[in-house]
Amino acid sequence: MTLSLTVSDEVRALVPGFTHVTVEAHGLVGGPSTDASAALLDDAARRLAVRLAGRAPHEDPHMAAWRTAYTAFGAKPSRTRNSAEALARRALTDAGLPRINLLVDLYNAVSVAHLIPVGGEDIDRIEGGMRLVRARGDEEFVTAAGGEETVEHPEPGEVVWRDGLGVTCRRWNWRQGPRTRLDEDTVSGIFLLESLEPMPVAEVETAAAELAELLAKFSPGAEITIAGADGG
């Protein structure tokens, strides 16, 4: 691994049982969504429906654990859902999952199929390492509103991912900023799979292996490394 990721003691204390597995890839071949990536998203939606067996996404024990975690740092989980629950809700609608670009489609498919929040960041756009921390409230989160760049600040105590320049993702894994997201020109990416008890660590590792296989399939020759589960 060439990019360091750390979890602060404050976050570990707030939400015991948090685990993350990372997939780092160099030599990626990006581009727009394809028929193949769209098919993966459709298949993921089918796998999700089987997994839920008629339940709503928030009724899944793993999604319920994320709702509890969001509540612990002051977020309203029914309004600001974790990324996996938000995608799962879209997957079950007639419209289905959005097609973003090839790399995002791949990790979204894995997220939905396994009901695990998965994020992707462009390594070349990250300043220093990434840290999961509780915000002071004065950090900058650069996003877009109405087509124009705007700066937000997280709430004090909010759990955020950040790098040396500012916040890269607000409310843990709710909203990613445009600065570091994967696009059609990305060649080096870090993919983060995040889970809470009661999800078995083995399932997170299985999902990470599936994502690594997909990245290798769509980017032949890419250098891909999986970093094992990091508890906390």
Side-chain angles (χ1 to χ4, degrees):
M1 301 289 289
T2 61
L3 184 75
S4 66
L5 285 87
T6 58
V7 179
S8 72
D9 291 341
E10 285 186 329
V11 173
R12 294 180 187 276
L14 181 72
V15 186
F18 169 62
T19 297
H20 70 269
V21 178
T22 55
V23 180
E24 185 171 323
H26 299 272
L28 292 169
V29 179
S33 300
T34 66
D35 289 344
S37 69
L40 286 171
L41 291 169
D42 290 340
D43 181 63
R46 288 189 289 269
R47 292 167 64 184
L48 172 68
V50 171
R51 183 188 192 96
L52 291 175
R55 295 174 298 168
H58 70 267
E59 295 175 302
D60 177 86
H62 190 216
M63 295 297 93
W66 275 105
R67 286 194 166 211
T68 299
Y70 270 47
T71 300
F73 64 81
K76 293 180 171 59
S78 61
R79 293 176 56 190
T80 55
R81 298 177 176 87
N82 77 80
S83 63
E85 183 183 334
L87 278 174
R89 286 169 57 89
R90 295 190 67 172
L92 297 174
T93 66
D94 291 339
L97 289 164
R99 278 59 168 158
I100 307 298
N101 62 55
L102 177 59
L103 296 176
V104 175
D105 289 354
L106 297 186
Y107 78 73
N108 278 351
V110 171
S111 175
V112 168
H114 292 270
L115 264 185
I116 296 173
V118 182
E121 306 278 0
D122 190 316
I123 290 175
D124 295 330
R125 298 173 184 167
I126 294 171
E127 183 69 28
M130 292 182 62
R131 294 176 287 141
L132 186 66
V133 300
R134 300 198 71 180
R136 298 183 304 270
D138 60 353
E139 299 90 344
E140 291 192 350
F141 177 71
V142 181
T143 185
E148 295 188 1
E149 183 177 290
T150 184
V151 176
E152 298 177 355
H153 300 281
E155 298 292 329
E158 181 182 322
V159 176
V160 298
W161 279 103
R162 65 159 303 159
D163 67 358
L165 292 180
V167 174
T168 58
C169 193
R170 286 198 60 187
R171 297 194 179 114
W172 208 318
N173 47 41
W174 167 64
R175 177 178 291 170
Q176 182 187 32
R179 172 170 61 88
T180 59
R181 66 188 176 195
L182 305 179
D183 61 23
E184 296 182 11
D185 298 319
T186 296
V187 294
S188 294
I190 187 84
F191 301 85
L192 180 66
L193 295 85
E194 301 179 291
S195 73
L196 301 172
E197 295 176 346
M199 175 167 278
V201 171
E203 181 158 0
V204 190
E205 294 171 335
T206 295
E210 181 178 329
L211 177 56
E213 290 174 3
L214 288 174
L215 293 170
K217 176 182 177 181
F218 284 85
S219 297
E223 179 184 344
I224 301 170
T225 305
I226 299 176
D230 178 82

